[in-house]
């Protein structure tokens, strides 16, 4: 399954981007990068990536998350990632991405962290 991306407003100033499928090298990761650029242009400053439905992520996916974090911080915003358990959370911990981005078990916890 390729990556499915759904965007919604949780509050007037929080955008939730739900990712389902594989976050890996290729067009799909580029779509997420383009979406982050669009969010920054539209003035979205607090973004949550809900990765509960991501079942696979490679180094390109990790790189894209780091890039998204940097772009949002550069524009005065912040990113939180929802990864409650499993391989994605293990990979975020292993690569120490958790040191630069908030990782939470639920969307509600991520909203509170922002």
């Amino acid at each position: 399954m390729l990556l499915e991306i759904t965007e919604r407003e949780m509050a007037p100033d929080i955008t939730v981007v739900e990712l389902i499928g594989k976050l890996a090298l290729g067009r799909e990761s580029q779509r997420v990068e383009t979406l982050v650029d669009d969010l920054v242009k539209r003035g979205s400053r607090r973004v949550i990536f809900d990765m509960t439905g991501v079942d696979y992520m490679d180094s390109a996916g990790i790189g894209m998350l780091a890039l998204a974090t940097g772009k949002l911080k550069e524009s005065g915003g912040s990113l939180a990632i929802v990864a409650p358990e499993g391989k994605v959370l293990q990979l975020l911990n292993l690569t120490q991405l958790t040191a630069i981005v908030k990782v939470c078990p639920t969307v509600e916890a991520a909203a509170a962290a922002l």
Side-chain angles (χ1 to χ4, degrees):
M1 176 180 173
L2 295 175
L3 187 67
E4 184 181 319
I5 303 170
T6 308
E7 178 188 340
R8 66 181 167 90
E9 294 296 315
M10 182 174 174
D13 59 343
I14 298 177
T15 303
V16 178
V17 178
E18 184 179 12
L19 305 171
I20 300 172
K22 297 178 190 274
L23 185 57
L25 182 65
R27 247 185 249 146
E28 303 303 312
S29 289
Q30 291 172 342
R31 284 178 43 216
V32 176
E33 186 178 341
T34 302
L35 174 64
V36 170
D37 288 338
D38 290 345
L39 289 170
V40 168
K41 285 178 189 168
R42 287 185 296 193
S44 295
R45 296 292 175 255
R46 300 194 303 165
V47 178
I48 297 170
F49 280 0
D50 182 355
M51 297 181 61
T52 306
V54 173
D55 53 17
Y56 175 81
M57 182 168 56
D58 66 6
S59 60
I62 291 290
M64 190 281 311
L65 292 175
L67 182 70
T69 300
K71 285 184 178 186
L72 283 162
K73 282 185 179 178
E74 226 174 64
S75 69
S78 58
L79 174 70
I81 295 174
V82 177
E85 59 187 21
K87 293 178 185 176
V88 171
L89 181 59
Q90 289 173 348
L91 194 54
L92 293 173
N93 286 322
L94 181 69
T95 58
Q96 297 184 351
L97 196 63
T98 54
I100 63 167
V101 65
K102 296 172 186 79
V103 178
C104 303
T106 65
V107 172
E108 292 74 20
L114 289 174

